[in-house]
Amino acid sequence: MPAAVDGPPRDESARRAVEAVWRMSSARIVGALARYTGDVDLAEDVAQEAVAQALVAWSRDGVPANPVGWLLTTARRRAIDGFRRRSALDERHALLAGQLAEGETSSSLYSASGSASASGSASGSVPPADRSDDLPWDPDRIDDDVLALTFVACHPVLSPEARVALTLRAVGGLTSEEIARAFLVPVATVQARITRAKKTLSAARVPFALPPAEERRGRLGGVLSVLYVIFTEGSTATTGDSLLRPDLAYEAIRLARTLAALMPAEPEVHGLLALCELTAARFPARTGPDGEAVLLADQDRRRWDRSAIRRGLAALDRAAALGAAGLGPYGLQAAIAGCHASAPSVPETDWERIVLLYEALGRVAPSPVVELNRAVAVAMAQGPRQALAIVDDLVATDRLAGSYLLPSVRGELLGRLGRTTEARSELELAARLCRNARERAVLLHKAAALA
């Protein structure tokens, strides 16, 4: 009789261990390898090869005592092998070119090529020899490696879509399949974006290094915007049948926490983290049993995540303490989210303060969406007529053409003013423009209620 087996089969246990280690430490692994090789593309390739090898080796031999070190050492050896192969190939090409110029015979060419291959020697392009007593990485460089990887993945030479995909892949450790599923695009599209991003970085000769201190703050905005895009897509999906994509939102929060630990003196990093935490705190109450959207006024606030609210408010306090010139754009949005998180109900919310915060946000980061949100706050604080004037100005200037948000808000305001026919028309237009099935259903329900 075979012995009883406790827990999952060994290969399943190994797979879970590999996934857990990769999700927690992929940025450190790829970052350390990128510093070692000077090539982000090669670093990720050899890291993925090490992961594939781990699935086999750990199933056979068990999970090693230092799984992260095992992955990094294995990947580093793969990188060295790659450098040696490349060096040998370069030597053969150089030798071949020289012999062709001298009119050498094909037989001597074959002999010379074979000797170069047999030597296996490495040229100056090969990194220092791997030593068994090396630490898996320099513990004093881990933070710099992860931060450098983040800045490289969010480099301004890349398109916004490529920055998001590469950040989730290289820094977040997500697979192409996971990224594609989160953004509802084909896997091939994600893979193409990542491949194109790596080629662009290589062509632009972007070094794997932290930007100089004097440039870092200027480039930080680009990094924060990538994390913000990832989070907002998770908190309100632009397309599909689900209102939320929490896995994507929580990945953005994890990356924001990492960035806050790496750059603790930057107020806007804490502002973004606060905004994400306070917004995600409402996730448990934002959808009903069947996934339907639940409006703010109808949410059971007892279901809000109080731990996330405490973390968010603490991060907001940190941002305020660090910001000598006051809160920045993310901090101001977090302060607005904090007003909602602290209010016992919609009527008891401090709408006057929210109006002031939106006015401040409009001065430091003006946009039509900020103006539209200010109009919503004005409607709650002062009434729909004053808010409608703001919305009609946005319509007249055509600054939100094609967005469902503008007719959605305008329909709400017209409904509150008793102009039901116009309100229904605006809400139906918003439903036609909306690509998220759950939000579309809410808009159609509102329109039908005005019939």
PDB file of all heavy atoms in Angstrom, residues 219-242:
ATOM      1  N   ARG A 219      10.925  63.199 -12.978  1.00  0.00           N
ATOM      2  CA  ARG A 219      10.452  61.966 -13.600  1.00  0.00           C
ATOM      3  C   ARG A 219       9.480  61.199 -12.714  1.00  0.00           C
ATOM      4  O   ARG A 219       8.814  60.273 -13.174  1.00  0.00           O
ATOM      5  CB  ARG A 219      11.649  61.062 -13.926  1.00  0.00           C
ATOM      6  CG  ARG A 219      12.550  61.649 -14.991  1.00  0.00           C
ATOM      7  CD  ARG A 219      12.828  60.770 -16.149  1.00  0.00           C
ATOM      8  NE  ARG A 219      12.652  59.368 -16.014  1.00  0.00           N
ATOM      9  CZ  ARG A 219      13.636  58.478 -16.102  1.00  0.00           C
ATOM     10  NH1 ARG A 219      14.886  58.873 -16.270  1.00  0.00           N
ATOM     11  NH2 ARG A 219      13.376  57.194 -16.037  1.00  0.00           N
ATOM     12  N   LEU A 220       9.399  61.583 -11.436  1.00  0.00           N
ATOM     13  CA  LEU A 220       8.520  60.863 -10.511  1.00  0.00           C
ATOM     14  C   LEU A 220       7.068  60.960 -10.945  1.00  0.00           C
ATOM     15  O   LEU A 220       6.307  59.998 -10.790  1.00  0.00           O
ATOM     16  CB  LEU A 220       8.692  61.412  -9.096  1.00  0.00           C
ATOM     17  CG  LEU A 220       7.819  60.776  -8.010  1.00  0.00           C
ATOM     18  CD1 LEU A 220       8.092  59.279  -7.888  1.00  0.00           C
ATOM     19  CD2 LEU A 220       8.039  61.467  -6.667  1.00  0.00           C
ATOM     20  N   GLY A 221       6.668  62.105 -11.505  1.00  0.00           N
ATOM     21  CA  GLY A 221       5.286  62.264 -11.947  1.00  0.00           C
ATOM     22  C   GLY A 221       4.878  61.203 -12.947  1.00  0.00           C
ATOM     23  O   GLY A 221       3.755  60.699 -12.917  1.00  0.00           O
ATOM     24  N   GLY A 222       5.794  60.836 -13.846  1.00  0.00           N
ATOM     25  CA  GLY A 222       5.491  59.788 -14.817  1.00  0.00           C
ATOM     26  C   GLY A 222       5.289  58.441 -14.163  1.00  0.00           C
ATOM     27  O   GLY A 222       4.410  57.656 -14.562  1.00  0.00           O
ATOM     28  N   VAL A 223       6.093  58.143 -13.157  1.00  0.00           N
ATOM     29  CA  VAL A 223       5.945  56.886 -12.430  1.00  0.00           C
ATOM     30  C   VAL A 223       4.597  56.849 -11.710  1.00  0.00           C
ATOM     31  O   VAL A 223       3.859  55.866 -11.776  1.00  0.00           O
ATOM     32  CB  VAL A 223       7.099  56.706 -11.420  1.00  0.00           C
ATOM     33  CG1 VAL A 223       6.885  55.468 -10.563  1.00  0.00           C
ATOM     34  CG2 VAL A 223       8.442  56.615 -12.148  1.00  0.00           C
ATOM     35  N   LEU A 224       4.271  57.936 -11.031  1.00  0.00           N
ATOM     36  CA  LEU A 224       3.002  57.990 -10.293  1.00  0.00           C
ATOM     37  C   LEU A 224       1.806  57.886 -11.237  1.00  0.00           C
ATOM     38  O   LEU A 224       0.809  57.244 -10.902  1.00  0.00           O
ATOM     39  CB  LEU A 224       2.925  59.285  -9.487  1.00  0.00           C
ATOM     40  CG  LEU A 224       3.940  59.432  -8.350  1.00  0.00           C
ATOM     41  CD1 LEU A 224       3.810  60.799  -7.691  1.00  0.00           C
ATOM     42  CD2 LEU A 224       3.769  58.333  -7.307  1.00  0.00           C
ATOM     43  N   SER A 225       1.918  58.497 -12.411  1.00  0.00           N
ATOM     44  CA  SER A 225       0.788  58.444 -13.347  1.00  0.00           C
ATOM     45  C   SER A 225       0.538  57.024 -13.828  1.00  0.00           C
ATOM     46  O   SER A 225      -0.611  56.626 -14.036  1.00  0.00           O
ATOM     47  CB  SER A 225       1.033  59.386 -14.534  1.00  0.00           C
ATOM     48  OG  SER A 225       2.084  58.915 -15.354  1.00  0.00           O
ATOM     49  N   VAL A 226       1.605  56.237 -14.006  1.00  0.00           N
ATOM     50  CA  VAL A 226       1.433  54.834 -14.408  1.00  0.00           C
ATOM     51  C   VAL A 226       0.699  54.061 -13.310  1.00  0.00           C
ATOM     52  O   VAL A 226      -0.254  53.312 -13.586  1.00  0.00           O
ATOM     53  CB  VAL A 226       2.800  54.192 -14.712  1.00  0.00           C
ATOM     54  CG1 VAL A 226       2.665  52.675 -14.857  1.00  0.00           C
ATOM     55  CG2 VAL A 226       3.388  54.781 -15.989  1.00  0.00           C
ATOM     56  N   LEU A 227       1.122  54.232 -12.075  1.00  0.00           N
ATOM     57  CA  LEU A 227       0.452  53.533 -10.972  1.00  0.00           C
ATOM     58  C   LEU A 227      -1.005  53.991 -10.852  1.00  0.00           C
ATOM     59  O   LEU A 227      -1.900  53.183 -10.550  1.00  0.00           O
ATOM     60  CB  LEU A 227       1.196  53.784  -9.659  1.00  0.00           C
ATOM     61  CG  LEU A 227       2.657  53.327  -9.601  1.00  0.00           C
ATOM     62  CD1 LEU A 227       3.196  53.469  -8.188  1.00  0.00           C
ATOM     63  CD2 LEU A 227       2.807  51.896 -10.081  1.00  0.00           C
ATOM     64  N   TYR A 228      -1.246  55.278 -11.084  1.00  0.00           N
ATOM     65  CA  TYR A 228      -2.612  55.815 -11.003  1.00  0.00           C
ATOM     66  C   TYR A 228      -3.496  55.216 -12.095  1.00  0.00           C
ATOM     67  O   TYR A 228      -4.652  54.858 -11.846  1.00  0.00           O
ATOM     68  CB  TYR A 228      -2.563  57.337 -11.125  1.00  0.00           C
ATOM     69  CG  TYR A 228      -3.902  58.019 -10.999  1.00  0.00           C
ATOM     70  CD1 TYR A 228      -4.621  57.965  -9.812  1.00  0.00           C
ATOM     71  CD2 TYR A 228      -4.441  58.732 -12.064  1.00  0.00           C
ATOM     72  CE1 TYR A 228      -5.848  58.599  -9.693  1.00  0.00           C
ATOM     73  CE2 TYR A 228      -5.662  59.371 -11.959  1.00  0.00           C
ATOM     74  CZ  TYR A 228      -6.365  59.304 -10.769  1.00  0.00           C
ATOM     75  OH  TYR A 228      -7.575  59.922 -10.654  1.00  0.00           O
ATOM     76  N   VAL A 229      -2.961  55.086 -13.307  1.00  0.00           N
ATOM     77  CA  VAL A 229      -3.726  54.469 -14.398  1.00  0.00           C
ATOM     78  C   VAL A 229      -4.075  53.029 -14.055  1.00  0.00           C
ATOM     79  O   VAL A 229      -5.209  52.575 -14.267  1.00  0.00           O
ATOM     80  CB  VAL A 229      -2.929  54.546 -15.719  1.00  0.00           C
ATOM     81  CG1 VAL A 229      -3.547  53.634 -16.773  1.00  0.00           C
ATOM     82  CG2 VAL A 229      -2.885  55.974 -16.238  1.00  0.00           C
ATOM     83  N   ILE A 230      -3.100  52.292 -13.521  1.00  0.00           N
ATOM     84  CA  ILE A 230      -3.347  50.898 -13.143  1.00  0.00           C
ATOM     85  C   ILE A 230      -4.446  50.827 -12.085  1.00  0.00           C
ATOM     86  O   ILE A 230      -5.372  50.011 -12.177  1.00  0.00           O
ATOM     87  CB  ILE A 230      -2.050  50.247 -12.627  1.00  0.00           C
ATOM     88  CG1 ILE A 230      -1.005  50.157 -13.753  1.00  0.00           C
ATOM     89  CG2 ILE A 230      -2.329  48.850 -12.067  1.00  0.00           C
ATOM     90  CD1 ILE A 230       0.375  49.749 -13.274  1.00  0.00           C
ATOM     91  N   PHE A 231      -4.359  51.700 -11.077  1.00  0.00           N
ATOM     92  CA  PHE A 231      -5.361  51.649 -10.008  1.00  0.00           C
ATOM     93  C   PHE A 231      -6.746  52.049 -10.505  1.00  0.00           C
ATOM     94  O   PHE A 231      -7.741  51.395 -10.169  1.00  0.00           O
ATOM     95  CB  PHE A 231      -4.959  52.567  -8.847  1.00  0.00           C
ATOM     96  CG  PHE A 231      -5.977  52.571  -7.745  1.00  0.00           C
ATOM     97  CD1 PHE A 231      -6.025  51.525  -6.827  1.00  0.00           C
ATOM     98  CD2 PHE A 231      -6.926  53.580  -7.644  1.00  0.00           C
ATOM     99  CE1 PHE A 231      -6.991  51.490  -5.831  1.00  0.00           C
ATOM    100  CE2 PHE A 231      -7.894  53.553  -6.664  1.00  0.00           C
ATOM    101  CZ  PHE A 231      -7.923  52.505  -5.744  1.00  0.00           C
ATOM    102  N   THR A 232      -6.831  53.114 -11.286  1.00  0.00           N
ATOM    103  CA  THR A 232      -8.155  53.578 -11.717  1.00  0.00           C
ATOM    104  C   THR A 232      -8.830  52.552 -12.624  1.00  0.00           C
ATOM    105  O   THR A 232     -10.051  52.398 -12.576  1.00  0.00           O
ATOM    106  CB  THR A 232      -8.059  54.928 -12.447  1.00  0.00           C
ATOM    107  OG1 THR A 232      -7.075  54.853 -13.486  1.00  0.00           O
ATOM    108  CG2 THR A 232      -7.674  56.030 -11.481  1.00  0.00           C
ATOM    109  N   GLU A 233      -8.049  51.831 -13.415  1.00  0.00           N
ATOM    110  CA  GLU A 233      -8.654  50.775 -14.228  1.00  0.00           C
ATOM    111  C   GLU A 233      -9.189  49.660 -13.341  1.00  0.00           C
ATOM    112  O   GLU A 233     -10.211  49.046 -13.641  1.00  0.00           O
ATOM    113  CB  GLU A 233      -7.635  50.224 -15.227  1.00  0.00           C
ATOM    114  CG  GLU A 233      -8.177  49.132 -16.138  1.00  0.00           C
ATOM    115  CD  GLU A 233      -9.323  49.610 -17.030  1.00  0.00           C
ATOM    116  OE1 GLU A 233      -9.374  50.808 -17.358  1.00  0.00           O
ATOM    117  OE2 GLU A 233     -10.170  48.764 -17.387  1.00  0.00           O
ATOM    118  N   GLY A 234      -8.510  49.413 -12.228  1.00  0.00           N
ATOM    119  CA  GLY A 234      -8.996  48.397 -11.294  1.00  0.00           C
ATOM    120  C   GLY A 234     -10.186  48.854 -10.476  1.00  0.00           C
ATOM    121  O   GLY A 234     -11.062  48.060 -10.130  1.00  0.00           O
ATOM    122  N   SER A 235     -10.253  50.160 -10.183  1.00  0.00           N
ATOM    123  CA  SER A 235     -11.328  50.648  -9.328  1.00  0.00           C
ATOM    124  C   SER A 235     -12.611  50.932 -10.098  1.00  0.00           C
ATOM    125  O   SER A 235     -13.704  50.864  -9.530  1.00  0.00           O
ATOM    126  CB  SER A 235     -10.881  51.917  -8.586  1.00  0.00           C
ATOM    127  OG  SER A 235     -10.628  52.967  -9.495  1.00  0.00           O
ATOM    128  N   THR A 236     -12.503  51.257 -11.377  1.00  0.00           N
ATOM    129  CA  THR A 236     -13.676  51.438 -12.235  1.00  0.00           C
ATOM    130  C   THR A 236     -13.266  51.023 -13.647  1.00  0.00           C
ATOM    131  O   THR A 236     -12.666  51.821 -14.368  1.00  0.00           O
ATOM    132  CB  THR A 236     -14.188  52.895 -12.229  1.00  0.00           C
ATOM    133  OG1 THR A 236     -14.434  53.315 -10.889  1.00  0.00           O
ATOM    134  CG2 THR A 236     -15.481  53.004 -13.031  1.00  0.00           C
ATOM    135  N   ALA A 237     -13.573  49.799 -13.993  1.00  0.00           N
ATOM    136  CA  ALA A 237     -13.137  49.257 -15.278  1.00  0.00           C
ATOM    137  C   ALA A 237     -13.773  50.031 -16.430  1.00  0.00           C
ATOM    138  O   ALA A 237     -14.970  50.330 -16.398  1.00  0.00           O
ATOM    139  CB  ALA A 237     -13.499  47.779 -15.373  1.00  0.00           C
ATOM    140  N   THR A 238     -12.972  50.348 -17.430  1.00  0.00           N
ATOM    141  CA  THR A 238     -13.505  51.124 -18.551  1.00  0.00           C
ATOM    142  C   THR A 238     -14.396  50.285 -19.458  1.00  0.00           C
ATOM    143  O   THR A 238     -15.298  50.819 -20.101  1.00  0.00           O
ATOM    144  CB  THR A 238     -12.352  51.715 -19.391  1.00  0.00           C
ATOM    145  OG1 THR A 238     -11.460  50.657 -19.754  1.00  0.00           O
ATOM    146  CG2 THR A 238     -11.592  52.755 -18.593  1.00  0.00           C
ATOM    147  N   THR A 239     -14.123  48.984 -19.514  1.00  0.00           N
ATOM    148  CA  THR A 239     -14.920  48.107 -20.372  1.00  0.00           C
ATOM    149  C   THR A 239     -15.215  46.807 -19.637  1.00  0.00           C
ATOM    150  O   THR A 239     -14.646  46.526 -18.577  1.00  0.00           O
ATOM    151  CB  THR A 239     -14.182  47.781 -21.680  1.00  0.00           C
ATOM    152  OG1 THR A 239     -12.943  47.121 -21.359  1.00  0.00           O
ATOM    153  CG2 THR A 239     -13.885  49.026 -22.490  1.00  0.00           C
ATOM    154  N   GLY A 240     -16.104  46.013 -20.240  1.00  0.00           N
ATOM    155  CA  GLY A 240     -16.362  44.675 -19.701  1.00  0.00           C
ATOM    156  C   GLY A 240     -17.616  44.577 -18.873  1.00  0.00           C
ATOM    157  O   GLY A 240     -18.424  45.504 -18.796  1.00  0.00           O
ATOM    158  N   ASP A 241     -17.775  43.420 -18.231  1.00  0.00           N
ATOM    159  CA  ASP A 241     -18.979  43.114 -17.469  1.00  0.00           C
ATOM    160  C   ASP A 241     -18.812  43.302 -15.973  1.00  0.00           C
ATOM    161  O   ASP A 241     -19.756  43.085 -15.217  1.00  0.00           O
ATOM    162  CB  ASP A 241     -19.409  41.662 -17.744  1.00  0.00           C
ATOM    163  CG  ASP A 241     -19.787  41.443 -19.203  1.00  0.00           C
ATOM    164  OD1 ASP A 241     -20.311  42.396 -19.819  1.00  0.00           O
ATOM    165  OD2 ASP A 241     -19.555  40.341 -19.716  1.00  0.00           O
ATOM    166  N   SER A 242     -17.622  43.651 -15.506  1.00  0.00           N
ATOM    167  CA  SER A 242     -17.377  43.841 -14.075  1.00  0.00           C
ATOM    168  C   SER A 242     -17.097  45.302 -13.791  1.00  0.00           C
ATOM    169  O   SER A 242     -16.356  45.960 -14.545  1.00  0.00           O
ATOM    170  CB  SER A 242     -16.184  42.995 -13.619  1.00  0.00           C
ATOM    171  OG  SER A 242     -16.427  41.620 -13.821  1.00  0.00           O
TER     172      SER A 242
END
